[in-house]
Amino acid sequence: MTKSSDKPKNNRIPSPAIIKDYLQANPTFFDDNPDILELISLPHKNGGAISLIERQISLLRKRDLELSNHISGLLGRAQDNEQLFKKTSRLIVSLIVATNLTAVIDALSKSLSTDFQVEFHQLVLFGEYSLTPTPHARIIAMKAAKLQIGSLIERKAPLSGILTNKELHFIFEGRSKEIQSTATVILSNGPVFGILAIGNSDPNYYNNAIDTLFFSQIAEVLSQLIPVMLNKP
């Protein structure tokens, strides 16, 4: 007669978590037990069943496609950054060789319009200097600038997104209603003396995630060059 104490005490089926942990710890289990593979089938989204090997192949193909897309994205960004670097370098060279403020403004405007294909751009300088206004550059008294865009002047880092209607109108004047997103950067060489702004009719074109590295580099060059040009006799 078999005593109750002689019966196996642990006859429960292992939980899925235990099975998963075991298979992860023993990756050659199915190599050592190929007969088990023949008993395993998985439901297919189109109906029927597929073998475990077919499922593994399908997953590997999916992961390979995801990896290929990721690599393609990285390569695309690298190519974009390379082109951006070349454009920025060309603009900086043209700014450095400019002999006066008018030449600086012309070089800046030409590069932003043609090379960078910026839809809207505006350079506003603060002070009482003499400059013939152009469609993309003008000089405004500092007092007026502080009244209209005081918060922008206080911000030293580039800003991407959308400006208030008051700020847009002050910077872009008659074109302000067409502009839905902007990027701005303050020009300073000690004191703040201007602002450079670019805009687009697409509200999502410039946003808080925009890479402003090239924009900052251009602003740094302008911050060194323009004061020298302004103080020339």
Side-chain angles (χ1 to χ4, degrees), residues 5-170:
S5 58
D6 295 332
K7 294 181 180 180
K9 294 182 179 180
N10 186 9
N11 59 357
R12 292 182 300 172
I13 298 175
S15 68
I18 293 176
I19 296 174
K20 178 181 178 181
D21 290 341
Y22 177 82
L23 292 177
Q24 288 178 331
N26 300 271
T28 62
F29 174 80
F30 289 112
D31 293 334
D32 300 331
N33 301 273
D35 55 309
I36 300 297
L37 287 174
E38 298 177 3
L39 302 177
I40 297 177
S41 63
L42 300 171
H44 193 272
K45 64 180 181 179
N46 294 326
I50 59 175
S51 69
L52 182 60
I53 294 177
E54 289 175 321
R55 178 61 181 271
Q56 289 176 323
I57 292 174
S58 175
L59 289 175
L60 287 174
R61 286 174 176 169
K62 181 180 178 181
R63 290 173 184 172
D64 180 64
L65 179 60
E66 291 174 349
L67 181 59
S68 296
N69 290 337
H70 179 65
I71 292 175
S72 296
L74 291 177
L75 290 174
R77 284 192 291 274
Q79 292 172 349
D80 290 343
N81 288 337
E82 181 182 6
Q83 291 301 314
L84 192 58
F85 174 77
K86 290 180 179 179
K87 293 175 183 179
T88 303
S89 297
R90 286 195 294 267
L91 172 55
I92 290 175
V93 170
S94 66
L95 293 174
I96 291 174
V97 300
T99 57
N100 53 56
L101 183 56
T102 300
V104 168
I105 293 172
D106 288 345
L108 175 66
S109 184
K110 181 179 179 181
S111 177
L112 291 179
S113 297
T114 59
D115 219 2
F116 287 95
Q117 296 186 332
V118 172
E119 192 173 3
F120 302 96
H121 67 275
Q122 189 70 39
L123 174 66
V124 183
L125 303 177
F126 311 142
E128 305 296 336
Y129 306 99
S130 175
L131 173 69
T132 302
T134 72
H136 301 291
R138 69 184 190 279
I139 291 181
I140 297 293
M142 175 59 84
K143 183 178 181 180
K146 287 183 177 180
L147 287 174
Q148 300 297 320
I149 56 171
S151 60
L152 291 180
I153 294 175
E154 294 174 1
R155 182 186 177 93
K156 297 298 178 68
L159 174 66
S160 301
I162 186 63
L163 303 178
T164 65
N165 290 335
K166 181 180 180 181
E167 293 166 338
L168 278 172
H169 181 71
F170 177 81

